[in-house]
Amino acid sequence: MKLNTFPNPEALAEFVAGTMIEQLRQKPDSVICLASGNSPKLTCAEFTEKAKAEGLDTSRFFFVGLDEWVGLEPGTPGSCANDFQTRLFGPLNMATSQYHLFNGLSDDLRQECFKMDEVIRVKGGIDLMIVGIGMNGHIGFNEPGTSWNNRSHVIKLHETTTSVGQKYFQERKTLDQGITLGFAHLLAAKQVILLADGSAKAEVIKAAIEGAPDEDFPATVMQLHPNGIIAVDAAAESLLTPKNS
Ligand code: F6R
């Protein structure tokens, strides 16, 4: 795993968007997986703008959604599906055949998980995965204590996730369960970038990088990925122990 630091969120977004562009230049039919939430927002804007400006072929890549809140309509502002629609599918005019998302409204969530795992398998695995980090160290909805061997699964969300998660919604939502890709997918992805900006993320970034790999702090899984990058801005980096101390 590598650590890349950037002076500000804009430079961070430019790097991550640039990595997505390069991935598609090299392999236009790449499989790309992205988190929703605040962290990748600037990245998506930068990516769609640059892709359009340079006439990048975005008609052949396949997108996989990292996770979803169980019980939300896909059109709900703040749902993962809605983020993907407004940030990527709409701006890039993507065909519905170009993406697969978890349906958090399904009455058979186990089947949703099988379907997702099968789609990823048939597509040949994930080329580039871009994730955020939660205030309890989660990635996707892989909460503390989740096995690193999991593929897609349904999970009871921790209190931190359900309370912090209210920030995405205009009115209070009942958030109880999530459906998410697992760390078996992350560890098998060819490249993974975890991005974080802002001082609120400084403590969890420190724990992710300086803590021993431990399922109780999910983001430490990044240390096990041979082609993993933790990409942060100066504020998120601020609590790291200086190299020479
Ligand atoms: C969202 C997701 C979550 C977020 C994490 C950070 O799809 O997978 O793990 O990445 O909670 O959220 P933000 O980026 O809003 O701080």
Side-chain angles (χ1 to χ4, degrees):
M1 184 209 82
K2 255 176 41 184
L3 171 68
N4 284 5
T5 60
F6 299 89
N8 50 49
E10 291 73 23
L12 168 62
E14 204 175 311
F15 163 74
V16 183
T19 307
M20 293 170 77
I21 300 250
E22 196 46 37
Q23 176 68 41
L24 292 183
R25 281 195 198 124
Q26 299 295 326
K27 189 179 176 218
D29 62 347
S30 293
V31 177
I32 295 183
C33 171
L34 207 73
S36 65
N38 292 342
S39 303
K41 206 170 174 176
L42 268 181
T43 293
C44 287
E46 177 80 12
F47 168 66
T48 52
E49 198 178 301
K50 277 217 171 110
K52 283 195 271 190
E54 75 166 65
L56 185 74
D57 178 7
T58 54
S59 67
R60 285 190 282 157
F61 87 97
F62 190 79
F63 180 89
V64 169
L66 177 63
D67 50 8
E68 188 55 277
W69 306 94
V70 167
L72 291 192
E73 290 279 349
T76 310
S79 69
C80 302
N82 194 66
D83 277 358
F84 300 137
Q85 181 61 45
T86 54
R87 294 174 186 179
L88 289 175
F89 308 159
L92 294 177
N93 208 9
M94 286 168 66
T96 51
S97 57
Q98 255 187 284
Y99 52 86
H100 185 76
L101 307 181
F102 286 117
N103 173 9
L105 275 185
S106 168
D107 51 17
D108 190 345
L109 293 169
R110 253 172 74 86
Q111 190 54 32
E112 273 302 299
C113 293
F114 290 137
K115 241 195 289 180
M116 178 60 90
D117 290 349
E118 188 56 10
V119 167
I120 292 173
R121 191 189 67 75
V122 167
K123 292 281 174 193
I126 297 170
D127 292 295
L128 175 62
M129 193 161 178
I130 294 165
V131 299
I133 180 170
M135 298 309 290
N136 60 1
H138 75 201
I139 290 179
F141 284 138
N142 290 274
E143 299 283 41
T146 307
S147 164
W148 287 352
N149 297 321
N150 278 4
R151 292 190 182 278
S152 299
H153 57 282
V154 177
I155 188 160
K156 168 120 183 100
L157 298 171
H158 283 202
E159 208 277 327
T160 314
T161 303
T162 57
S163 55
V164 174
Q166 296 298 335
K167 71 180 175 183
Y168 304 122
F169 305 101
Q170 282 142 10
E171 65 222 31
R172 200 169 171 80
K173 293 277 178 227
T174 306
L175 306 172
D176 181 44
Q177 284 187 299
I179 181 166
T180 183
L181 296 195
F183 286 150
H185 294 296
L186 182 141
L187 289 168
K190 295 185 187 74
Q191 184 176 7
V192 182
I193 301 177
L194 182 154
L195 81 162
D197 63 71
S199 55
K201 293 287 172 76
E203 251 179 65
V204 285
I205 284 298
K206 183 180 173 70
I209 294 174
E210 296 181 3
D214 185 343
E215 288 177 350
D216 283 339
F217 198 82
T220 53
V221 74
M222 288 297 294
Q223 297 176 29
L224 306 186
H225 199 291
N227 205 10
I229 296 175
I230 294 190
V232 292
D233 74 344
E237 184 204 22
S238 59
L239 292 180
L240 291 184
T241 308
K243 274 259 164 54
N244 50 1
S245 68

